[in-house]
Amino acid sequence: MDINLLLKAYRYMSQVKAMADTYEANRSICKYVHSTSRGHEAIQLATAFQLHPTDFVSPYYRDESLILGLGFTPYQQMLQLLAKGDDIFTGGREYYSHPNYRGTDKPTIIHQSSATGMQVIPTTGIAQGIQYKESQASPNPSQGGALKSSNFLEPFKSKGSEVPPCGGFRGAIVICSLGDASMTEGEVSEAFQFAVLKQLPIIYLVQDNNWGISVTAAEARAMNAYEFVAGFKGMNRVQVDGSDFEASYSVMKEVCEFVRRERKPYLVHAQVPLLGHHTSGVRKEHYRTEEDWLKHLAHDPNAKLRKKLLERGISESELVNMEKEASKLVTQDFAKAVAAADPDPATVEDHVFAPTPVNEEKGERNPAGSEKIIMVDAALFAIREIMEQHPEAILYGQDVGKRLGGVFREAATLADQFGEHRVFNTAIQEAYVVGSAVGMSAVGLKPIVEVQFGDYIYPGFNQLVTEVSKSCYLTCGKFPVSMILRVPVGAYGGGGPYHSGSVETTVLSIKGLKVAYPSNAADMKGLMKAAYYDPNPVVMLEHKGLYWSKVPGTEDAKTPEPSKDYILPFGKANIVLHAGKVRIEQGESCVIITYGMGVYWAKAAAKNFSQQIEVVDLRTLFPLDEELIFERVRLHGKCLVLTEEQQNNSFAEALAGRISKNCFQSLDAAVEVLGALNLPAVPMNIGLEQAMLPNAQKVTDVLKRILIS
């Protein structure tokens, strides 16, 4: 091997050793939890040296050597270690060795969470997106037309770089780094399953140091990563001594060249020692014996490479000088980082969302001669128009493909029109469906994904919380996740306990998501368009009882189809029923704040009162049109918040509290809330289901109580 490459590796290893020693000697200054890469240096540097600026890499929290090998300086890493304002990765918001980067000089790094193994699905989504773009980059792809750039890519641009055009990813590889202990996570298996099924150009680098905090491999897993992936047909695999730089470099070179050429997945299992603490907060003396420590120390990559360099004729004095230079650089960089300014507290709310271009209602909501359509078709037509105009739009989920077109026929005909490369089925993998959108978005695609029922969103909850919702904020706006998650919700007709759930409170508990809940076809189409052009993650809650207006009293969910250019911004509620002016002036009116099926219960109940009831349809639950809500409550002085969800601890109760606080001086009565009974599930029997849910009569009874108060 070229001696200059070995010297380069040793220079970095010396820096890493000096960094670890510096952090340990300054524990009171390095107060934020961190891990170092001592013991893992060889395999990490060997990996970094293979990568091109067009590649993607997802380091994990022990990958400081990999980050150095990519060209980031100790100073840049130390700014993150100390949570400083000039931290180029996250502006002081993330842990050490949690980089993200979008530029033209180094591989792209998407947001990395600290949730063990959770990065594997988003990173596999990158490879999925690269494969899709490569397949469509040829002049005459089989279906759908060649993928080309569009204005949709604007939100993804950052200073000095942008998402490459389709051909720009050809030959790019994706590396996902993780520890062997994370292999037991179920979501890792979901990613592996998809990678081998689709034969994606990704390398899973598994660094096995035999420890998962204080748990040994023998305690926690029946096999190592190399043995485990033998069960995934189509996954290439290799093992290497990750403490030996030459062996690691040779293996990584061969594997990277193979994946660049063959475009197939690979797992590299690297055995490495753990020479530092698990983290600065979980120190090795708490759980490791001296014997454990000495066994690992015998495989120190630094010492091994130093010995090889001496054997290759490099003098002791030259190595000592290199070590001194590394120590000097680290000392200077650390002092500079310590002196750097902390983040400005005024910036703490920056970058929760990327700016959306959709700020006003446009297009014709009710064109002359337009026929009425049902809600399910409104969504279908909106997505069809989006896919006709934007080749980067893709749709996937369970059973949405060509044979069925969705269990509610909400994707019917789309695969026929746009091809099965753009509209396709997935396995029963809610976590993968949700999390892969992170990676797809990072390469400039716009995924529209679906979970079949609200009750099935929970397996995807990890990805929504750890990856999707936090990406924009923790990357300071570099990686907003532009995706739409469609979720059919709601109860009617005996759907039972696992097909009838309302999940808005659960979803709204995650900050960093936008949430829509249309109640009619026109809103469905306008909000779907707004969701597409929004560069942030959007959850579309779609009441399956309103899809076809089969529930008595929901005929108004059918509306004339809006024009193709119709778009409805988020955060704009709508007054769907007005109270009489005289009733309002006499203090004999009440406003109902509601959404979804609640709109129809409210309108039906209003018929029992003479011009006394106003109904406000929220349309989006976040952002929320607080301005209109507070204005109407102050006007009427009486308010009912109506929801289909179980009432206790719900979004509706939280909203009622906010209304009470902001409208206190205008209220003539306490703000009331009506929701479903507080049961753990919607029962199957239709009579029991109806007993649980609100209805027009229950709303009427509450309104009578409010109006006489």
Side-chain angles (χ1 to χ4, degrees), residues 430-446:
E430 286 84 2
Y432 188 85
V433 168
V434 173
S436 61
V438 176
M440 300 284 268
S441 173
V443 300
L445 298 175
K446 178 77 175 195

PDB file of all heavy atoms in Angstrom, residues 430-446:
ATOM      1  N   GLU A 430     -44.680  -0.124   7.977  1.00  0.00           N
ATOM      2  CA  GLU A 430     -45.037   1.276   8.171  1.00  0.00           C
ATOM      3  C   GLU A 430     -43.820   2.141   8.491  1.00  0.00           C
ATOM      4  O   GLU A 430     -43.725   3.290   8.055  1.00  0.00           O
ATOM      5  CB  GLU A 430     -46.077   1.416   9.281  1.00  0.00           C
ATOM      6  CG  GLU A 430     -47.478   0.967   8.887  1.00  0.00           C
ATOM      7  CD  GLU A 430     -47.689  -0.536   9.032  1.00  0.00           C
ATOM      8  OE1 GLU A 430     -46.747  -1.224   9.484  1.00  0.00           O
ATOM      9  OE2 GLU A 430     -48.788  -1.017   8.694  1.00  0.00           O
ATOM     10  N   ALA A 431     -42.887   1.603   9.256  1.00  0.00           N
ATOM     11  CA  ALA A 431     -41.690   2.382   9.582  1.00  0.00           C
ATOM     12  C   ALA A 431     -40.903   2.698   8.320  1.00  0.00           C
ATOM     13  O   ALA A 431     -40.439   3.823   8.130  1.00  0.00           O
ATOM     14  CB  ALA A 431     -40.816   1.623  10.581  1.00  0.00           C
ATOM     15  N   TYR A 432     -40.752   1.707   7.442  1.00  0.00           N
ATOM     16  CA  TYR A 432     -40.010   1.964   6.216  1.00  0.00           C
ATOM     17  C   TYR A 432     -40.768   2.940   5.310  1.00  0.00           C
ATOM     18  O   TYR A 432     -40.162   3.844   4.719  1.00  0.00           O
ATOM     19  CB  TYR A 432     -39.714   0.678   5.435  1.00  0.00           C
ATOM     20  CG  TYR A 432     -38.773   0.978   4.290  1.00  0.00           C
ATOM     21  CD1 TYR A 432     -37.404   0.996   4.488  1.00  0.00           C
ATOM     22  CD2 TYR A 432     -39.252   1.323   3.031  1.00  0.00           C
ATOM     23  CE1 TYR A 432     -36.533   1.346   3.470  1.00  0.00           C
ATOM     24  CE2 TYR A 432     -38.399   1.688   2.012  1.00  0.00           C
ATOM     25  CZ  TYR A 432     -37.042   1.684   2.225  1.00  0.00           C
ATOM     26  OH  TYR A 432     -36.193   2.060   1.216  1.00  0.00           O
ATOM     27  N   VAL A 433     -42.059   2.779   5.197  1.00  0.00           N
ATOM     28  CA  VAL A 433     -42.850   3.668   4.350  1.00  0.00           C
ATOM     29  C   VAL A 433     -42.660   5.120   4.790  1.00  0.00           C
ATOM     30  O   VAL A 433     -42.429   6.020   3.970  1.00  0.00           O
ATOM     31  CB  VAL A 433     -44.345   3.275   4.399  1.00  0.00           C
ATOM     32  CG1 VAL A 433     -45.210   4.355   3.770  1.00  0.00           C
ATOM     33  CG2 VAL A 433     -44.565   1.941   3.687  1.00  0.00           C
ATOM     34  N   VAL A 434     -42.726   5.354   6.092  1.00  0.00           N
ATOM     35  CA  VAL A 434     -42.601   6.721   6.611  1.00  0.00           C
ATOM     36  C   VAL A 434     -41.155   7.206   6.535  1.00  0.00           C
ATOM     37  O   VAL A 434     -40.859   8.284   6.012  1.00  0.00           O
ATOM     38  CB  VAL A 434     -43.112   6.784   8.065  1.00  0.00           C
ATOM     39  CG1 VAL A 434     -42.821   8.150   8.677  1.00  0.00           C
ATOM     40  CG2 VAL A 434     -44.610   6.491   8.119  1.00  0.00           C
ATOM     41  N   GLY A 435     -40.227   6.422   7.058  1.00  0.00           N
ATOM     42  CA  GLY A 435     -38.846   6.877   7.184  1.00  0.00           C
ATOM     43  C   GLY A 435     -38.094   6.987   5.880  1.00  0.00           C
ATOM     44  O   GLY A 435     -37.210   7.846   5.734  1.00  0.00           O
ATOM     45  N   SER A 436     -38.423   6.143   4.910  1.00  0.00           N
ATOM     46  CA  SER A 436     -37.720   6.201   3.627  1.00  0.00           C
ATOM     47  C   SER A 436     -37.965   7.525   2.921  1.00  0.00           C
ATOM     48  O   SER A 436     -37.153   7.964   2.099  1.00  0.00           O
ATOM     49  CB  SER A 436     -38.153   5.037   2.730  1.00  0.00           C
ATOM     50  OG  SER A 436     -39.550   5.097   2.463  1.00  0.00           O
ATOM     51  N   ALA A 437     -39.072   8.172   3.250  1.00  0.00           N
ATOM     52  CA  ALA A 437     -39.370   9.465   2.630  1.00  0.00           C
ATOM     53  C   ALA A 437     -38.308  10.508   2.963  1.00  0.00           C
ATOM     54  O   ALA A 437     -38.096  11.448   2.200  1.00  0.00           O
ATOM     55  CB  ALA A 437     -40.746   9.958   3.082  1.00  0.00           C
ATOM     56  N   VAL A 438     -37.632  10.342   4.089  1.00  0.00           N
ATOM     57  CA  VAL A 438     -36.559  11.273   4.459  1.00  0.00           C
ATOM     58  C   VAL A 438     -35.451  11.224   3.418  1.00  0.00           C
ATOM     59  O   VAL A 438     -34.982  12.251   2.924  1.00  0.00           O
ATOM     60  CB  VAL A 438     -36.001  10.923   5.852  1.00  0.00           C
ATOM     61  CG1 VAL A 438     -34.824  11.838   6.203  1.00  0.00           C
ATOM     62  CG2 VAL A 438     -37.089  11.015   6.914  1.00  0.00           C
ATOM     63  N   GLY A 439     -35.024  10.009   3.081  1.00  0.00           N
ATOM     64  CA  GLY A 439     -33.964   9.858   2.096  1.00  0.00           C
ATOM     65  C   GLY A 439     -34.411  10.217   0.696  1.00  0.00           C
ATOM     66  O   GLY A 439     -33.653  10.840  -0.076  1.00  0.00           O
ATOM     67  N   MET A 440     -35.631   9.853   0.346  1.00  0.00           N
ATOM     68  CA  MET A 440     -36.158  10.194  -0.976  1.00  0.00           C
ATOM     69  C   MET A 440     -36.206  11.706  -1.154  1.00  0.00           C
ATOM     70  O   MET A 440     -35.839  12.247  -2.208  1.00  0.00           O
ATOM     71  CB  MET A 440     -37.560   9.606  -1.143  1.00  0.00           C
ATOM     72  CG  MET A 440     -37.637   8.096  -1.025  1.00  0.00           C
ATOM     73  SD  MET A 440     -37.038   7.255  -2.492  1.00  0.00           S
ATOM     74  CE  MET A 440     -38.568   7.073  -3.392  1.00  0.00           C
ATOM     75  N   SER A 441     -36.642  12.394  -0.111  1.00  0.00           N
ATOM     76  CA  SER A 441     -36.707  13.849  -0.159  1.00  0.00           C
ATOM     77  C   SER A 441     -35.320  14.456  -0.325  1.00  0.00           C
ATOM     78  O   SER A 441     -35.145  15.443  -1.042  1.00  0.00           O
ATOM     79  CB  SER A 441     -37.363  14.372   1.130  1.00  0.00           C
ATOM     80  OG  SER A 441     -37.307  15.772   1.213  1.00  0.00           O
ATOM     81  N   ALA A 442     -34.316  13.868   0.323  1.00  0.00           N
ATOM     82  CA  ALA A 442     -32.959  14.419   0.279  1.00  0.00           C
ATOM     83  C   ALA A 442     -32.351  14.396  -1.116  1.00  0.00           C
ATOM     84  O   ALA A 442     -31.455  15.187  -1.411  1.00  0.00           O
ATOM     85  CB  ALA A 442     -32.060  13.656   1.250  1.00  0.00           C
ATOM     86  N   VAL A 443     -32.833  13.496  -1.975  1.00  0.00           N
ATOM     87  CA  VAL A 443     -32.307  13.451  -3.341  1.00  0.00           C
ATOM     88  C   VAL A 443     -33.228  14.183  -4.322  1.00  0.00           C
ATOM     89  O   VAL A 443     -33.059  14.087  -5.538  1.00  0.00           O
ATOM     90  CB  VAL A 443     -32.042  12.004  -3.822  1.00  0.00           C
ATOM     91  CG1 VAL A 443     -31.028  11.331  -2.930  1.00  0.00           C
ATOM     92  CG2 VAL A 443     -33.322  11.188  -3.899  1.00  0.00           C
ATOM     93  N   GLY A 444     -34.204  14.923  -3.796  1.00  0.00           N
ATOM     94  CA  GLY A 444     -35.015  15.785  -4.653  1.00  0.00           C
ATOM     95  C   GLY A 444     -36.298  15.181  -5.149  1.00  0.00           C
ATOM     96  O   GLY A 444     -36.946  15.761  -6.026  1.00  0.00           O
ATOM     97  N   LEU A 445     -36.704  14.038  -4.597  1.00  0.00           N
ATOM     98  CA  LEU A 445     -38.003  13.476  -4.947  1.00  0.00           C
ATOM     99  C   LEU A 445     -39.056  13.978  -3.960  1.00  0.00           C
ATOM    100  O   LEU A 445     -38.730  14.494  -2.898  1.00  0.00           O
ATOM    101  CB  LEU A 445     -37.944  11.952  -4.924  1.00  0.00           C
ATOM    102  CG  LEU A 445     -36.964  11.326  -5.926  1.00  0.00           C
ATOM    103  CD1 LEU A 445     -36.903   9.820  -5.733  1.00  0.00           C
ATOM    104  CD2 LEU A 445     -37.357  11.659  -7.351  1.00  0.00           C
ATOM    105  N   LYS A 446     -40.303  13.827  -4.335  1.00  0.00           N
ATOM    106  CA  LYS A 446     -41.399  14.207  -3.437  1.00  0.00           C
ATOM    107  C   LYS A 446     -42.260  12.987  -3.201  1.00  0.00           C
ATOM    108  O   LYS A 446     -43.153  12.658  -3.984  1.00  0.00           O
ATOM    109  CB  LYS A 446     -42.239  15.328  -4.045  1.00  0.00           C
ATOM    110  CG  LYS A 446     -43.444  15.732  -3.173  1.00  0.00           C
ATOM    111  CD  LYS A 446     -43.044  16.592  -1.988  1.00  0.00           C
ATOM    112  CE  LYS A 446     -44.272  17.071  -1.232  1.00  0.00           C
ATOM    113  NZ  LYS A 446     -43.985  18.175  -0.310  1.00  0.00           N
TER     114      LYS A 446
END
